[in-house]
Amino acid sequence: MGSIVVPDHDWVADTVSDLAASKYEIIQDVALYCYTGSLVACALGAAHYHLDGTRWNIGIACLSLLAICVVIIGARNEYGDQDNEGIVIHIYVVYVLGLVFAALFVLLARGMSKIARRYAAVSYCCAALWIICAPIFFFMPTGYDGAFERGLGVIAVVWTVTFAWMLVSVAQNRAHTTHP
């Protein structure tokens, strides 16, 4: 939405942080907070199922940590754009996001396979794509880094939607089996 509304925004060259640093920052902030809500909802939903012991519990912690990181990015309004006012933390939070997403995708995949193999397959595919592509982002020319970052965002959203769909399907199956 921000790419459409913000004048002169180039979705290929300009990153999401560029959108969030403009006078239209509220659009990006709302999107970040909505995504945070989805991560928290997934963590709460996952906490009701004990699908893979310690790995699953660490995955739930990863979901919670990701939610915290996304809130910090949205609320802090510091995007690594050479600001020197206050503490510059954006890049460090981005590094944490990168590592935690990779861990999340791998940690929860085995538990997801207990529901259906297709969920694990999506999680492992997201992990592979993320592990390969996320580091490349830091070396992308600024003329293309916006599109590449959006590709990473698609990976994160695909995983989140898949995981949420899995949780909903499990809940629906349980509701049908307990209430005929």
Side-chain angles (χ1 to χ4, degrees):
M1 187 66 182
S3 297
I4 296 168
V5 173
V6 175
D8 300 322
H9 180 76
D10 181 352
W11 69 271
V12 174
D14 296 336
T15 64
V16 173
S17 295
D18 294 331
L19 269 178
S22 74
K23 73 177 185 173
Y24 298 95
E25 69 183 30
I26 189 67
I27 296 169
Q28 191 60 45
D29 288 348
V30 168
L32 289 170
Y33 297 142
C34 286
Y35 187 63
T36 295
S38 70
L39 293 170
V40 170
C42 285
L44 290 170
H48 288 280
Y49 305 108
H50 305 284
L51 296 176
D52 197 19
T54 302
R55 289 172 65 101
W56 192 260
N57 291 336
I58 295 170
I60 293 168
C62 286
L63 283 164
S64 301
L65 180 57
L66 286 169
I68 291 167
C69 288
V70 174
V71 166
I72 290 170
I73 287 172
R76 182 69 177 97
N77 282 341
E78 197 304 300
Y79 299 102
D81 53 0
Q82 310 312 317
D83 286 353
N84 57 7
E85 298 174 17
I87 301 169
V88 178
I89 61 170
H90 182 80
I91 194 66
Y92 304 111
V93 178
V94 169
Y95 290 150
V96 171
L97 279 174
L99 293 171
V100 175
F101 266 123
L104 174 72
F105 300 156
V106 172
L107 286 167
L108 293 183
R110 192 168 72 184
M112 293 167 75
S113 72
K114 294 178 181 182
I115 304 301
R117 286 186 180 171
R118 68 182 175 272
Y119 297 126
V122 169
S123 197
Y124 283 128
C125 284
C126 287
L129 287 169
W130 189 271
I131 291 167
I132 292 167
C133 295
I136 294 171
F137 171 74
F138 294 104
F139 303 101
M140 290 294 298
T142 57
Y144 304 99
D145 62 348
F148 200 83
E149 182 185 49
R150 283 168 181 76
L152 291 170
V154 168
I155 295 168
V157 170
V158 163
W159 186 91
T160 305
V161 168
T162 300
F163 191 77
W165 184 264
M166 181 199 74
L167 292 173
V168 169
S169 69
V170 169
Q172 288 176 336
N173 287 339
R174 287 190 177 178
H176 289 118
T177 58
T178 58
H179 297 88

